[in-house]
Amino acid sequence: AKAAGRSRIEVFDDALRERALSRLRTESDLRVALDSDQLFLAYQPIIRMQDGSIAGFEALVRWSHPERGTILPGEFIALAEETGLILRLGRWALKEAALQIKDWRQRTGRDLFVSVNVSGRQLMDDDMAAAVAQVLEETGVEPRALKLEITESLLLDDTARCVQMLHDIRKLGVRLCLDDFGTGFSNLSYLHSYPVDTLKIDRSFVRAATDGDRRAEIARIITMLAAALDLEVVAEGVERDAEAAFLRGLHCEYAQGYFFARPMPPEEAERHLLVQAA
Ligand code: C2E
Ligand code: CA
Ligand code: CA
Ligand code: CA
């Protein structure tokens, strides 16, 4: 091969340069995307286990790239965080989700909520609570229709500051959910000081339920913990009937996952909602 005569350092340099270039391209593409409506939210129903009805939705960002097609958040959220673009993205997502859920609530007359993911970088932003307040004001959505999902690992970095921020947000009437719960090795003694309303059981514990894996016991413990602390509990990543049955056995109130419905563009999510109302 042509590269055979070249030093390993040169080849390594090329690889680094290629990576750096690709990041720069993605970064500038992402700026364009934010300016030109290429981002959209997919909505995944969160189901009431008791009767299968839709209680709300999780909003998941998608990037409709003109050349690369639909790109999932795994490919750009980290970069958005590193470049600070996540602040703009996060505010856009919050407002977009608020407008959508307001519309669905009005048209169905149902007390639906939307759950929006928030990254650590956003929580470290001193203006976060003000940004949430601004979205409430601009959209006129009922605060309780909005939930913010945060991962417990984020809270470990600067606990006191994060907890204060969460209190400020919750004072607005917006609800909070601890995402991927159980994966963060958090100090359980902190849990009572986090002003949260909901625990979301990470999908790894749901999967364990029917794999004969003892980690399924974690799902049981989380539902018991939620009941003891008077918190709501949602299980994520439910893919199989047996997993749903296991969760029902635990009296887990809410669940989401491919078994019930995939994340969908708004028009499709709306059809699900209207069919159910009929
Ligand atoms: P997450 O918050 O844990 O979201 C759940 C992920 O699991 C989503 O992936 C969803 O599509 C996927 N999922 C749902 N049901 C199932 C299932 O039954 N089985 C399996 N295997 N997966 C399922 P997605 O949409 O690719 O999002 C990945 C991550 O990107 C999210 O993880 C979240 O951390 C982040 N993210 C998504 N949207 C946003 C956003 O607007 N802002 C921020 N900061 N992060 C976001
Ligand atoms: Ca989430
Ligand atoms: Ca999650
Ligand atoms: Ca997860």
Side-chain angles (χ1 to χ4, degrees):
K2 206 175 167 198
R6 302 172 63 209
S7 76
R8 288 173 66 174
I9 289 177
E10 280 176 303
V11 174
F12 184 64
D13 269 0
D14 283 353
L16 275 183
R17 196 174 303 118
E18 188 45 51
R19 257 199 73 195
L21 274 175
S22 142
R23 283 173 51 93
L24 273 177
R25 260 197 306 271
T26 307
E27 182 184 343
S28 71
D29 280 7
L30 189 54
R31 283 182 200 284
V32 172
L34 277 161
D35 289 331
S36 60
D37 261 11
Q38 290 173 18
L39 299 182
F40 69 96
L41 294 176
Y43 294 88
Q44 183 173 39
I46 296 174
I47 304 294
R48 243 178 238 105
M49 293 295 262
Q50 211 177 21
D51 59 4
S53 64
I54 296 176
F57 296 89
E58 179 173 3
L60 296 154
V61 68
R62 300 286 180 265
W63 179 359
S64 180
H65 192 284
E67 284 128 39
R68 294 162 64 191
T70 302
I71 309 180
L72 294 172
E75 288 193 51
F76 59 90
I77 288 293
L79 187 71
E81 283 171 348
E82 287 162 32
T83 56
L85 284 171
I86 194 72
L87 295 182
R88 272 185 70 197
L89 190 157
R91 285 170 195 203
W92 166 82
L94 201 59
K95 185 167 181 187
E96 182 77 12
L99 286 171
Q100 184 63 80
I101 204 65
K102 186 186 177 192
D103 180 51
W104 286 341
R105 283 166 67 90
Q106 276 174 349
R107 288 166 55 203
T108 60
R110 289 168 54 186
D111 187 24
L112 301 162
F113 67 85
V114 68
S115 216
V116 181
N117 292 284
V118 166
S119 86
R121 180 76 183 258
Q122 286 172 274
L123 277 189
M124 298 311 276
D125 176 22
D126 290 326
D127 298 331
M128 177 68 186
V132 175
Q134 194 183 349
V135 165
L136 293 175
E137 198 181 303
E138 285 174 1
T139 62
V141 74
E142 274 212 61
R144 60 168 280 107
L146 275 190
K147 272 194 194 189
L148 301 186
E149 296 198 4
I150 49 208
T151 49
E152 54 175 334
S153 56
L154 297 179
L155 300 177
L156 302 177
D157 289 347
D158 190 346
T159 307
R161 194 164 152 214
C162 282
V163 168
Q164 185 54 52
M165 174 68 73
L166 296 180
H167 274 289
D168 291 346
I169 293 171
R170 200 151 170 271
K171 263 187 239 143
L172 300 167
V174 169
R175 291 180 292 167
L176 300 172
C177 170
L178 271 186
D179 202 356
D180 301 336
F181 193 75
T183 59
F185 305 103
S186 71
N187 186 340
L188 280 185
S189 64
Y190 276 135
L191 192 56
H192 77 277
S193 68
Y194 296 151
V196 299
D197 306 273
T198 307
L199 301 181
K200 190 179 268 194
I201 304 174
D202 188 68
R203 71 163 172 262
S204 57
F205 306 119
V206 171
R207 198 71 64 250
T210 53
D211 288 350
D213 185 326
R214 296 201 58 202
R215 273 180 306 170
E217 289 307 313
I218 310 268
R220 187 188 309 280
I221 287 165
I222 295 172
T223 50
M224 288 170 63
L225 190 62
L229 296 174
D230 204 20
L231 303 172
E232 289 186 341
V233 63
V234 182
E236 73 172 6
V238 181
E239 291 182 357
R240 294 179 287 202
D241 198 4
E243 291 164 1
F246 170 78
L247 291 164
R248 259 186 220 102
L250 300 184
H251 303 292
C252 173
E253 204 178 350
Y254 302 99
Q256 70 183 105
Y258 299 161
F259 175 67
F260 302 104
R262 291 185 172 258
M264 300 171 275
E267 311 76 47
E268 204 182 324
E270 184 169 315
R271 277 200 294 277
H272 268 251
L273 204 53
L274 297 178
V275 162
Q276 215 175 57

